[in-house]
């Protein structure tokens, strides 16, 4: 990959869909094979932790049947590494490296917070074999991942007369 790094960092297309999160269940019609305009450009994950996960993602997450993550145990690069090649995998119910594609990652350095990563992927296989999406890492301690149980009356010795039932809480964190 022979490109001007400064230009790449400033012109990458930002993906802002919250459904890319690693805890978001599969939904219809989220297939990046058809949904992204081109695979000749660089993309930035602009939501949640603003990068792809480095570990296996369960099937039927990231808003698709198959969610891609950075595989091979090599993770994300440091800024001084420049553009690096990586393998991106998605998992099946029995295999964390069920299928893969090649691509590149560039660490543009810190911009208002954590390192800013951009990605350039080979085009995934057809959506007919299941919807495929590039995942956005989620911090399990983030308030977007769990339901905050902070109503009055939840404290063991609360003065509130309010009775709280957890019967209708959604499954999850």
């Amino acid at each position: 990959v022979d490109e001007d790094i400064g230009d790449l960092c400033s012109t990458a297309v930002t993906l802002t869909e919250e459904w890319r999160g690693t805890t978001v269940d599969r939904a219809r019609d989220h297939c990046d094979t058809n949904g992204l305009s081109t695979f000749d450009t660089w993309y930035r994950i602009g939501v949640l932790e603003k990068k792809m996960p480095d570990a296996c993602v369960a099937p039927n997450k990231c808003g698709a049947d198959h969610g891609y993550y950075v595989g091979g145990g090599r993770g994300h690069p440091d800024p001084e590494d420049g553009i690096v090649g990586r393998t991106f995998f998605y998992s099946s119910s029995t295999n964390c490296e069920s299928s893969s594609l090649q691509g590149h990652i560039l660490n543009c350095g810190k911009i208002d917070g954590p390192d800013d990563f951009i990605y350039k992927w080979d085009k995934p296989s057809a959506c007919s074999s299941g919807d495929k999406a590039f995942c956005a890492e989620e911090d399990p301690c983030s308030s977007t991942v769990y339901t905050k149980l902070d109503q009055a009356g939840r404290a063991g010795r609360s003065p509130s007369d309010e009775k709280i039932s957890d019967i209708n809480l959604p499954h999850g964190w």
Side-chain angles (χ1 to χ4, degrees), residues 109-125:
K110 294 188 185 305
I111 300 175
D112 296 326
D115 284 346
D116 180 40
F117 297 101
I118 61 173
Y119 306 86
K120 188 174 187 180
W121 306 288
D122 288 350
K123 187 173 184 174
S125 59

Side-chain angles (χ1 to χ4, degrees), residues 105-150:
I105 305 175
L106 173 61
N107 184 333
C108 295
K110 294 188 185 305
I111 300 175
D112 296 326
D115 284 346
D116 180 40
F117 297 101
I118 61 173
Y119 306 86
K120 188 174 187 180
W121 306 288
D122 288 350
K123 187 173 184 174
S125 59
C127 297
S128 59
S129 60
D131 290 344
K132 297 163 191 74
F134 297 102
C135 294
E137 183 170 276
E138 287 187 74
D139 178 351
C141 296
S142 164
S143 62
T144 63
V145 175
Y146 66 86
T147 302
K148 189 173 184 180
L149 303 176
D150 63 351

Side-chain angles (χ1 to χ4, degrees), residues 4 11 36 61-62 71 73 86 90 143 150 162-163:
D4 182 331
T11 61
L36 297 180
K61 294 297 180 186
C62 306
R86 289 290 187 266
Y90 69 73
S143 62
D150 63 351
E162 180 183 356
K163 302 260 189 222

